[in-house]
Amino acid sequence: MPSNNFSFWAAKDDSKPDLLCGRPADYFVVQKHFTIIISAIIVLGGFSKMLLKNSEVFVLMILSVSGFVTGQLAYHFVEVHQIVYPLLKTPSFSLYCYFLPLIVFVAALDVDFYIVKNVLWQVLLTGVISFGIAFVTIAYVVLKFNEDSWDLQCCLLFTITLCIIDPLHSVNSLKTIGISKMYTDIIRGESLIICSFTCIFFGIFRGHTTNVSMFRELHVIIGLSFDIFGSAICGYWCTRFIRIILTDLFSNTLTNVVLCFSLVYMTFYLVEYFGMSGIVALVTVGLNLDSLSFKPRMEFIITKFLIMCSSAYEHLIYGFFGIVIGCGEIKYFRFHSLVFTVTLFVTVNFARLLTVLFVSPILMHSSYEYDWRWGVVIAWSGIRGVFSLLLAPDIYSFSERKIEAPHMFIFYIQILSILTTGINSHMMLRSAKTLGLCALSLPRQMAVRNAIEHIQQNIQNAINLFKTEKILTNVNWNVVEEKANIGYNPILKQTHTVQVSSFHGPIEESPTDEVLIEEARLHVAIIQMSSFEKQCNDGVLGVEAARILIGATKSYCPIHGKFMSISDVSTYVRARSWLIKFKNMLTYLEYHKERILFTVPGNNKFLIFVYRIIISEEFEYATYVVAVMYIFPMIIHIWPTARELNISALISINYYFMFLYTLESTLKIMILKKKYFLQNWNTLDFFIIVMGIVDILCIYFVKLRPDSLILIQFTVVIGYLRIIRFLPIFKIIIPILINIADVQIKKSLSLMYSITKGYVKSQEDAKLLVRQISGRESIYQKLYDILEKNKREAIKELGLLEHEGRDVVIALKTKQAIRHVIAKALKNLTFLWSRGIIDKHEGIEMNKVLLTKIKALNNFPMAIPPPTPDKYLPNIVWMENKDVLIEFFKERTRLTYFDYGDIICREGEMPQGIFLIISGMASLHSSSPTFGLDSNRGTDRQFKTMYTEYCTSGDVLGELSCLLKREIEYTAICETTLQAFFISLEDLYEGFDVFWPSLEYKIWLKLALGVANQYFEQVIAGEDLKFQKCVVSNYAYVETLSSYNEMTLNHVAMKIVILVYGNVINSKTEESLVAPSIIPKSCDQIQGISDVSKLLIILASEPVKNDAATPAMVSGDLRTTKKDYNWKRKDEFEGGHLFRKTN
């Protein structure tokens, strides 16, 4: 390996001793009992953790003392020395390569990349300042108070080793009490930076095993560049490779665990082999891996396994180095050693305190939550550990003058690491609790209380449900309720918190709305990130889209009062605009081959021959070959030495190529005439010819007047302009670039659509849970309005994206639909497998088939041409794709077109028919939906709120208004150019007559299911309310209740009864129920009080398929007398409303 390759892989100098400490073997060595030491240390560490309740510092003390005792026994007894001799013989760099890669990877894996990215420069400055202050302070103390015979180089290396903060133990104590992850990641990020730079520094020493005087500035700069930037780039590409492997659908748990473990070491060794820093590469890999980099539910298993291995490695390190210390001579342990150790402990913490004082302004700028209390906690975070221990033996290896007691380096560092691990961890925990950093804030207390009350209510509901089961009638329910009561009170568990009278009592200091909104905002961000991850695991959202959404959420989360909108996400990942401009520029420059209609006057065979030449592909290829062939002469022309030797040849070649260029243009001008100059590339060819003629003339005049300096300079400049002769080659490249840009635009469009759709779903999930995180009605309303506004903006963006790239969106929707169907098939397979219906072998084979189909979706086309307009008619759900209905309405529909800003229908107008949107987007502006409730009866509706919804391809407008023959209660405005099918009101009612009563019923069923899915998604989440299933099997049906008519509810047969339109009252209590609402179980009989009320009834069990089972199920073949449809104005007939559309 060359000397300027600053890698750890440096050959050991033969002049150095084989053993770090201890006496050499004066007997025949048999290395067969060393595994006893390894097993004993792991077992002792495991039992110690179990007995001492995970008290890490006592475990490390026991292992260190046990190792020291073992070393002393080995020093005095040959039998023990035979066992530990392989350890003493092992190079320290081998231990470094065995243990440190995995420990560094585990530490980096626990750091949130997006948090560190937001405060990257603060973390970098903190790391640099921390290292600088610690180095100066500790170096002064070591040089001043050390009485051992250490030279300057040993003291400086020892100081650098003590500057490393252990990234594992520095924040472990804080993670157990719920401290903000931002501060733990800042501390851990700082320690990883210090560790990386220290490892690079020691790597330079290993690469130059002589002395510092042989270092060269250029070599050091190149080495640092490779170690920092080269290692980071290698780590990034290794991350991409690891993600592909860990997310493979066909890999099992064991394979993923083994691969992840082995890839960590493979990355380290490969990067080190190529002369860069493996530690920096592993830090990069750990930071870039997140929960989405693993298969669902796989992250927990792999992380736990890696943590288990890192813990075992840590125990081995303390045990091994305890043995190494014990093998040294005990005479060097004096009272001064104890004093010097205490001095180092005080110095390390003092240096950390100075660091906090210097970096506090930086941290205050990074977060509005930082204050002096956090500074106190961070001041105790300077914990030393295994990183310093693994580098300690190199102090002796790199020193110019060898000392007699090298084991003292390890002794001081190991004692100091145990002291800081025990004392500093305890002080960090104690400070955080005393200063109230782990106390729940008032908004947080209210949120926790709401959550616990919600859980307790669910428990009580479950108990009430179990009481109705006959098999549990003899259960003592009082005991069940007592034992099931949640006694957990996180507020009373805090050591420092505000005064609370009782958990269920009022809070004395009521927080302001601003404080509650801010706390709720953070909860909404957490809910959104959980929604993104769940959508990704379910296959609804792509991994890249989910990673971008989570990253954007974490980026905007620290901004006070900021609710992330879809425009913020678009700003976070904006790449499509410049790609479109680049493609437009390329399209403008694209060469379009001339295809002209040429008529030769008379019978001119020569012109016909020329015409056939210039339109042939061979002619085009010949021009490209000529341009490429001129590359070699141009290189010789630019190279001065070669030009002087080949002047006459270059002049002849120039004449030859100019003749070819002139011949090409002449043939084209003969045929195209004036049209020749309409093509920009032809103009460029003509310009090349003109410049070539000028070049030839200049050379000729130079021969006539060789003493003219201006003419010679002009000729040289013109000669260099020959390079423009290569520009026609770009005619071949431009179409390729256009295709590449088009693919990237489609990818960006597909990604943005997927991102926007995932964002809409997260807003819906947050709206469902917003009641649980807001204790006040005013806060709930504000949150709901903000989420609703953001959702509407996102839906509008969806429509615009669909209008911009219909083919891309169709392909994405089709791919997601296939993925959703296969995912359901996998769930059904798992159910059948768990019930024993399918045996193990069959289940595995079928699982492979389904997973193969999912994997094949990676090669799914990026764009699918949109169907023709007549293919959209079967998309209307109530047509059920029946040929009779489709043919009936196909003859009666017409295609309509609207421009941007056109009004499709106005509020207050009578409906003319229904519109099926084929392409484009429209916005619906309406007041609060009435659902058939007149305004003078709506006591709960004190004011009207304007709503805006967006409709895109496949949506239907006007169904409810046409059913009721009511005035339209919204205004539909085109946001883009729009194309739609129009079915007039007369044709629709003619269809009702022909297919009476099934068609009208199916439209009502579709509307009722829409209302249920929009307003009661949580309640009906477990129900399979598909339109086709409801029609065929009568699992859910719509019942009509007229004014003053009564209906008896059988709650045994009816699982859920939802009032989707109109107004009814409880016949017993006369309590009014307005749509949309769920009829309570206590209500046995209802009476309609509006002209028409519609109820969606979901049965408790699926009935046997029977078209005549209930009045709700009707057949399309039945005919009755034509209904008398009377037109009623809004003031004559009870209201109706086209409810807000579900998404």
Side-chain angles (χ1 to χ4, degrees):
M1 181 164 293
S3 60
N4 62 346
N5 196 348
F6 303 128
S7 171
F8 285 177
W9 304 98
K12 186 177 179 180
D13 192 351
D14 294 336
S15 63
K16 296 181 180 179
D18 292 335
L19 301 179
L20 178 62
C21 60
R23 60 183 178 84
D26 52 0
Y27 51 85
F28 180 73
V29 179
V30 181
Q31 301 180 8
K32 62 179 181 179
H33 299 298
F34 181 63
T35 52
I36 298 176
I37 295 294
I38 299 176
S39 303
I41 292 174
I42 295 176
V43 171
L44 180 61
F47 274 108
S48 301
K49 289 189 77 170
M50 181 179 66
L51 296 176
L52 297 175
K53 306 299 182 184
N54 293 324
S55 181
E56 192 67 26
V57 63
F58 291 108
V59 175
L60 299 180
M61 287 176 59
I62 292 172
L63 292 172
S64 301
V65 173
S66 302
F68 180 80
V69 172
T70 305
Q72 282 294 300
L73 293 174
Y75 186 81
H76 293 91
F77 300 99
V78 176
E79 294 79 8
V80 182
H81 192 271
Q82 286 182 333
I83 299 176
V84 302
Y85 183 76
L87 172 62
L88 302 178
K89 187 72 175 177
T90 302
S92 60
F93 182 59
S94 297
L95 297 179
Y96 175 92
C97 296
Y98 295 157
F99 297 135
L100 196 58
L102 185 67
I103 297 175
V104 168
F105 178 74
V106 171
L109 188 63
D110 192 49
V111 177
D112 195 315
F113 171 74
Y114 298 102
I115 293 179
V116 176
K117 179 183 175 182
N118 293 336
V119 291
L120 180 60
W121 70 271
Q122 291 95 335
V123 174
L124 288 173
L125 287 178
T126 303
V128 173
I129 294 173
S130 174
F131 183 82
I133 293 176
F135 179 79
V136 173
T137 308
I138 298 173
Y140 174 79
V141 172
V142 171
L143 292 172
K144 186 75 173 176
F145 297 100
N146 177 43
E147 295 183 358
D148 296 324
S149 56
W150 296 356
D151 58 1
L152 177 61
Q153 188 173 349
C154 285
C155 292
L156 293 181
L157 291 174
F158 180 76
T159 301
I160 293 173
T161 306
L162 281 183
C163 290
I164 304 175
I165 300 175
D166 189 276
L168 288 178
H169 290 291
S170 58
V171 295
N172 277 353
S173 58
L174 295 180
K175 291 169 63 178
T176 60
I177 58 175
I179 295 296
S180 174
K181 188 169 175 58
M182 175 181 290
Y183 295 103
T184 60
D185 284 349
I186 288 176
I187 298 172
R188 185 161 281 178
E190 171 201 357
S191 61
L192 287 174
I193 290 173
I194 295 174
C195 176
S196 299
F197 279 103
T198 307
C199 292
I200 291 173
F201 179 79
F202 274 81
I204 295 175
F205 269 91
R206 287 196 180 94
H208 293 76
T209 55
T210 53
N211 53 44
V212 181
S213 62
M214 293 187 63
F215 288 0
R216 296 293 184 269
E217 291 82 357
L218 181 61
H219 292 169
V220 173
I221 293 173
I222 294 175
L224 287 176
S225 301
F226 271 95
D227 283 333
I228 298 173
F229 301 106
S231 302
I233 294 173
C234 289
Y236 172 77
W237 285 106
C238 288
T239 304
R240 300 288 296 269
F241 179 71
I242 292 173
R243 282 175 179 170
I244 294 173
I245 292 177
L246 295 182
T247 55
D248 184 62
L249 294 173
F250 293 96
S251 60
N252 53 32
T253 304
L254 179 60
T255 304
N256 280 336
V257 171
V258 173
L259 282 175
C260 187
F261 182 83
S262 58
L263 286 173
V264 170
Y265 284 96
M266 183 61 70
T267 301
F268 175 79
Y269 290 127
L270 282 177
V271 175
E272 290 287 344
Y273 178 79
F274 289 107
M276 293 174 284
S277 174
I279 297 300
V280 175
L282 285 179
V283 170
T284 306
V285 172
L287 288 176
N288 283 278
L289 289 179
D290 51 24
S291 59
L292 301 178
S293 303
F294 304 89
K295 289 173 62 178
R297 298 174 297 276
M298 196 66 66
E299 180 195 14
F300 177 79
I301 299 173
I302 295 177
T303 305
K304 285 299 180 182
F305 176 78
L306 296 178
I307 292 174
M308 178 189 70
C309 292
S310 65
S311 179
Y313 284 0
E314 187 179 19
H315 293 171
L316 289 173
I317 291 170
Y318 276 88
F320 284 170
F321 283 105
I323 294 174
V324 172
I325 295 172
C327 288
E329 296 186 14
I330 200 170
K331 65 179 182 180
Y332 295 102
F333 296 101
R334 303 185 299 271
F335 178 74
H336 173 265
S337 303
L338 178 61
V339 175
F340 186 60
T341 302
V342 175
T343 305
L344 287 176
F345 174 75
V346 175
T347 305
V348 165
N349 287 290
F350 177 72
R352 189 63 178 169
L353 179 61
L354 289 179
T355 301
V356 171
L357 294 178
F358 277 94
V359 302
S360 289
I362 299 175
L363 295 179
M364 286 180 180
H365 179 76
S366 66
S367 174
Y368 57 87
E369 295 180 355
Y370 182 83
D371 55 18
W372 65 271
R373 298 179 300 166
W374 280 112
V376 173
V377 174
I378 296 176
W380 288 105
S381 62
I383 299 174
R384 273 55 179 175
V386 294
F387 290 81
S388 301
L389 272 176
L390 288 172
L391 293 176
D394 289 334
I395 301 173
Y396 175 77
S397 302
F398 298 155
S399 60
E400 295 181 1
R401 186 168 61 87
K402 305 305 177 183
I403 65 173
E404 296 180 356
H407 60 284
M408 295 304 295
F409 295 125
I410 304 175
F411 171 76
Y412 290 132
I413 293 176
Q414 186 156 353
I415 295 299
L416 191 63
S417 65
I418 293 175
L419 287 176
T420 53
T421 302
I423 298 174
N424 288 30
S425 297
H426 175 74
M427 291 304 300
M428 286 177 67
L429 192 62
R430 187 68 178 269
S431 301
K433 291 182 177 180
T434 303
L435 297 176
L437 294 177
C438 56
L440 292 177
S441 62
L442 287 172
R444 181 65 177 166
Q445 292 177 24
M446 297 177 67
V448 172
R449 182 173 65 180
N450 290 339
I452 294 178
E453 288 179 350
H454 177 71
I455 295 173
Q456 188 65 57
Q457 184 179 1
N458 289 339
I459 292 174
Q460 191 61 44
N461 293 339
I463 292 174
N464 294 336
L465 183 62
F466 288 151
K467 287 180 179 180
T468 60
E469 296 186 12
K470 296 181 179 180
I471 195 173
L472 300 177
T473 53
N474 57 347
V475 173
N476 190 336
W477 292 109
N478 293 329
V479 176
V480 173
E481 292 177 354
E482 179 183 353
K483 297 298 182 182
N485 184 44
I486 299 178
Y488 174 70
N489 184 355
I491 299 175
L492 299 180
K493 291 173 71 67
Q494 305 300 322
T495 58
H496 179 81
T497 185
V498 294
Q499 294 181 353
V500 182
S501 58
S502 65
F503 180 69
H504 296 284
I507 301 175
E508 294 184 1
E509 297 182 18
S510 179
T512 62
D513 284 0
E514 182 181 359
V515 175
L516 291 176
I517 281 287
E518 180 62 18
E519 186 74 22
R521 182 185 70 86
L522 299 177
H523 277 81
V524 169
I526 295 173
I527 293 171
Q528 287 180 324
M529 288 187 286
S530 300
S531 175
F532 299 146
E533 190 165 348
K534 183 178 183 301
Q535 292 179 61
C536 181
N537 293 335
D538 293 341
V540 178
L541 191 62
V543 175
E544 186 179 0
R547 187 172 284 116
I548 290 173
L549 284 167
I550 293 175
T553 305
K554 291 180 178 179
S555 298
Y556 289 106
C557 195
I559 303 176
H560 187 80
K562 177 67 175 178
F563 285 84
M564 185 182 69
S565 63
I566 191 61
S567 60
D568 297 325
V569 182
S570 302
T571 305
Y572 185 81
V573 56
R574 178 63 68 184
R576 195 169 72 255
S577 56
W578 75 267
L579 283 172
I580 294 175
K581 293 178 181 178
F582 180 65
K583 180 186 175 183
N584 293 336
M585 182 186 68
L586 293 175
T587 304
Y588 174 76
L589 296 175
E590 187 178 10
Y591 174 70
H592 300 284
K593 191 174 181 181
E594 295 84 356
R595 294 293 184 184
I596 61 173
L597 295 175
F598 176 68
T599 56
V600 180
N603 191 14
N604 195 330
K605 295 182 178 179
F606 175 73
L607 291 180
I608 295 175
F609 176 71
V610 173
Y611 170 74
R612 291 176 178 174
I613 289 177
I614 68 169
I615 66 172
S616 64
E617 293 184 356
E618 291 80 1
F619 182 78
E620 294 294 330
Y621 293 147
T623 58
Y624 299 146
V625 170
V626 170
V628 173
M629 287 174 59
Y630 193 69
I631 293 177
F632 182 69
M634 190 65 197
I635 293 174
I636 297 177
H637 177 79
I638 296 174
W639 191 1
T641 305
R643 183 175 64 241
E644 293 295 331
L645 298 175
N646 301 279
I647 293 177
S648 59
L650 288 175
I651 293 175
S652 301
I653 292 174
N654 186 39
Y655 292 158
Y656 174 72
F657 278 97
M658 284 306 305
F659 170 74
L660 293 178
Y661 288 138
T662 305
L663 178 63
E664 175 197 353
S665 296
T666 302
L667 293 177
K668 286 186 176 181
I669 292 174
M670 290 176 59
I671 302 300
L672 300 176
K673 296 182 174 58
K674 294 182 180 180
K675 294 181 180 180
Y676 174 82
F677 295 99
L678 298 178
Q679 176 69 260
N680 293 328
W681 288 103
N682 292 338
T683 305
L684 177 64
D685 292 340
F686 189 80
F687 177 74
I688 291 174
I689 294 173
V690 172
M691 294 299 296
I693 295 173
V694 172
D695 183 24
I696 293 173
L697 292 175
C698 288
I699 294 174
Y700 176 75
F701 288 124
V702 166
K703 290 181 179 180
L704 295 178
R705 300 184 59 183
D707 56 342
S708 177
L709 182 61
I710 296 176
L711 183 60
I712 292 174
Q713 291 176 343
F714 183 75
T715 304
V716 171
V717 173
I718 292 295
Y720 281 111
L721 288 179
R722 294 178 187 176
I723 199 169
I724 65 175
R725 299 178 185 180
F726 299 127
L727 292 180
I729 299 177
F730 285 95
K731 289 191 289 186
I732 308 174
I733 303 175
I734 285 178
I736 300 174
L737 294 178
I738 290 176
N739 291 333
I740 294 174
D742 189 55
V743 170
Q744 294 302 319
I745 290 172
K746 289 180 178 179
K747 284 184 178 179
S748 177
L749 184 65
S750 177
L751 177 63
M752 198 61 214
Y753 188 88
S754 182
I755 288 172
T756 309
K757 194 170 183 180
Y759 177 83
V760 171
K761 177 61 177 169
S762 72
Q763 296 298 105
E764 293 175 350
D765 294 341
K767 283 168 60 178
L768 292 175
L769 299 174
V770 70
R771 179 69 73 178
Q772 307 301 328
I773 61 177
S774 57
R776 294 182 186 173
E777 187 63 29
S778 59
I779 302 301
Y780 166 75
Q781 192 60 44
K782 288 180 181 179
L783 286 177
Y784 190 89
D785 293 342
I786 292 172
L787 295 175
E788 184 65 26
K789 177 185 176 183
N790 290 341
K791 177 186 171 183
R792 288 199 301 268
E793 292 178 355
I795 294 175
K796 180 179 179 180
E797 182 70 16
L798 277 178
L800 295 175
L801 289 172
E802 186 168 353
H803 178 71
E804 181 180 348
R806 289 182 62 198
D807 53 348
V808 177
V809 174
I810 290 173
L812 181 62
K813 287 183 175 180
T814 306
K815 180 179 178 180
Q816 290 177 345
I818 297 171
R819 179 70 172 81
H820 183 67
V821 170
I822 298 176
K824 282 207 166 187
L826 282 171
K827 289 183 179 179
N828 293 333
L829 176 62
T830 304
F831 174 79
L832 297 174
W833 193 350
S834 63
R835 296 299 186 271
I837 301 175
I838 297 177
D839 61 20
K840 183 177 180 180
H841 176 72
E842 293 173 347
I844 292 175
E845 294 300 322
M846 293 179 67
N847 189 65
K848 286 182 179 179
V849 171
L850 294 176
L851 291 179
T852 303
K853 291 184 176 295
I854 293 178
K855 195 170 184 178
L857 292 177
N858 295 330
N859 301 321
F860 197 79
M862 194 171 297
I864 296 178
T868 56
D870 58 327
K871 300 295 183 182
Y872 275 90
L873 205 57
N875 291 343
I876 302 179
V877 65
W878 39 263
M879 286 194 181
E880 300 183 90
N881 204 19
K882 291 185 177 180
D883 295 337
V884 178
L885 279 171
I886 294 172
E887 291 299 327
F888 177 84
F889 283 105
K890 185 181 291 186
E891 299 172 356
R892 293 164 175 79
T893 58
R894 72 173 188 268
L895 200 58
T896 56
Y897 298 90
F898 300 92
D899 290 329
Y900 170 76
D902 287 353
I903 297 177
I904 301 176
C905 54
R906 293 181 183 273
E907 185 176 2
E909 293 180 349
M910 298 305 296
Q912 302 299 317
I914 63 175
F915 293 89
L916 169 62
I917 299 178
I918 297 174
S919 63
M921 182 178 69
S923 58
L924 303 181
H925 305 273
S926 64
S927 58
S928 179
T930 59
F931 295 97
L933 181 68
D934 192 60
S935 58
N936 55 11
R937 294 186 181 179
T939 56
D940 296 334
R941 313 181 195 274
Q942 299 177 0
F943 57 90
K944 289 188 176 181
T945 304
M946 295 303 297
Y947 290 94
T948 302
E949 297 293 337
Y950 296 93
C951 303
T952 57
S953 176
D955 292 328
V956 182
L957 304 180
E959 290 171 306
L960 184 60
S961 298
C962 289
L963 278 175
L964 299 170
K965 288 189 177 179
R966 288 286 317 278
E967 294 172 343
I968 301 173
E969 296 186 355
Y970 60 86
T971 299
I973 303 176
C974 294
E975 297 290 332
T976 63
T977 56
L978 187 139
Q979 186 180 13
F981 268 133
F982 175 71
I983 302 176
S984 66
L985 191 67
E986 292 77 10
D987 293 332
L988 181 64
Y989 272 79
E990 183 182 351
F992 287 170
D993 289 340
V994 174
F995 303 101
W996 172 261
S998 64
L999 183 58
E1000 183 180 9
Y1001 166 77
K1002 289 172 184 176
I1003 297 177
W1004 271 113
L1005 179 61
K1006 180 251 185 181
L1007 296 175
L1009 293 175
V1011 173
N1013 283 315
Q1014 180 177 0
Y1015 291 95
F1016 308 107
E1017 183 177 356
Q1018 272 188 315
V1019 178
I1020 64 174
E1023 308 297 332
D1024 189 10
L1025 296 181
K1026 293 182 180 178
F1027 181 83
Q1028 291 293 337
K1029 183 175 181 180
C1030 295
V1031 171
V1032 175
S1033 63
N1034 199 25
Y1035 176 58
Y1037 61 91
V1038 175
E1039 191 68 56
T1040 304
L1041 187 62
S1042 302
S1043 178
Y1044 303 113
N1045 289 344
E1046 291 186 346
M1047 177 181 176
T1048 302
L1049 303 178
N1050 182 4
H1051 290 291
V1052 176
M1054 301 176 180
K1055 186 175 183 180
I1056 303 174
V1057 180
I1058 302 175
L1059 178 64
V1060 296
Y1061 187 84
N1063 186 198
V1064 299
I1065 61 172
N1066 189 332
S1067 300
K1068 293 183 179 179
T1069 63
E1070 296 187 356
E1071 177 187 0
S1072 178
L1073 300 171
V1074 296
S1077 62
I1078 297 178
I1079 306 299
K1081 296 286 186 180
S1082 58
C1083 181
D1084 297 328
Q1085 192 175 45
I1086 57 176
Q1087 178 183 342
I1089 58 174
S1090 59
D1091 286 353
V1092 59
S1093 299
K1094 296 288 184 177
L1095 298 105
L1096 178 65
I1097 299 175
I1098 303 174
L1099 300 179
S1101 59
E1102 297 185 21
V1104 180
K1105 179 180 176 181
N1106 187 356
D1107 290 345
T1110 67
M1113 270 310 299
V1114 290
S1115 174
D1117 298 331
L1118 298 177
R1119 294 293 305 274
T1120 63
T1121 307
K1122 181 176 179 180
K1123 288 187 66 176
D1124 183 19
Y1125 296 105
N1126 297 319
W1127 290 85
K1128 295 189 177 181
R1129 300 291 298 176
K1130 196 171 185 179
D1131 53 353
E1132 298 174 354
F1133 182 64
E1134 191 59 56
H1137 181 77
L1138 181 61
F1139 60 84
R1140 290 185 292 150
K1141 298 181 68 58
T1142 56
N1143 301 304

